[in-house]
Amino acid sequence: MTTSPNRPAVLVVDDLKDTADSLATVLDMMGYDTRVAYSPRQVGELVRSGFRPDAAVLDIDLGEQSGFDVARDLCAALGRRPMLVALTGYSSMEPRARREGFDHYFLKPAEPRDVAGVLPAAS
C-alpha cells in the first residue's frame, strides 16, 4: 500500500470505530488519502505495509497504549515526524499534548471540517 502523490495521507487512530470511521469518511470526501487504525498494533501494520502519513489524528486514550506512545512509535517507524493532531475527550491533556509535540488539539466531538482545516491542504 502506497500513498497517493496528489493527496495528503492522513492516519486516523481511535479505538472507537464509529468516531474513526466517520472522520476518515469525511476526510476522504475532502480529498485526503485516509487510513484508519483502531489500535496501536494496526498503526504498525499500516506503516509496515507502506503507508506514510503526512498527518496523524490520534485519540489520546487508546486503552492498551496512549496516543502519546503511538505518536513516538509512529515517528520512529517513519524516520520523520508527521503533523500530529490530538482528538480526545480529555480537556486536561492539552498541556501534555503540546509538550509531547502535538501540533493541534481538539476535544471530541470535533467538526471534521475543523480538523481538516489544520491538515496539509488537499487538492
Side-chain angles (χ1 to χ4, degrees):
M1 172 189 324
T2 59
T3 56
S4 170
N6 300 326
R7 299 174 67 197
V10 178
L11 175 62
V12 176
V13 184
D14 200 317
D15 56 345
L16 298 175
K17 290 183 179 186
D18 288 342
T19 300
D21 291 344
S22 61
L23 178 59
T25 297
V26 172
L27 292 176
D28 266 345
M29 292 186 316
M30 296 176 82
Y32 292 93
D33 179 11
T34 310
R35 302 291 188 284
V36 174
Y38 308 114
S39 70
R41 179 186 53 76
Q42 289 179 326
V43 172
E45 290 170 1
L46 283 169
V47 171
R48 283 189 298 279
S49 74
F51 186 65
R52 299 290 183 257
D54 300 302
V57 180
L58 304 171
D59 185 15
I60 298 300
D61 183 8
L62 294 168
E64 63 191 77
Q65 192 176 14
S66 77
F68 302 122
D69 295 328
V70 171
R72 281 190 293 275
D73 292 349
L74 177 63
C75 292
L78 293 174
R80 64 175 174 78
R81 188 184 159 287
M83 175 186 286
L84 298 173
V85 179
L87 180 59
T88 184
Y90 297 106
S91 62
S92 63
M93 298 304 278
E94 185 170 7
R96 180 173 177 196
R98 298 291 183 187
R99 283 191 310 273
E100 296 273 348
F102 279 75
D103 301 288
H104 302 282
Y105 190 90
F106 290 94
L107 284 176
K108 291 180 183 178
E111 286 292 325
R113 70 175 169 261
D114 293 339
V115 175
V118 302
L119 297 175
S123 53

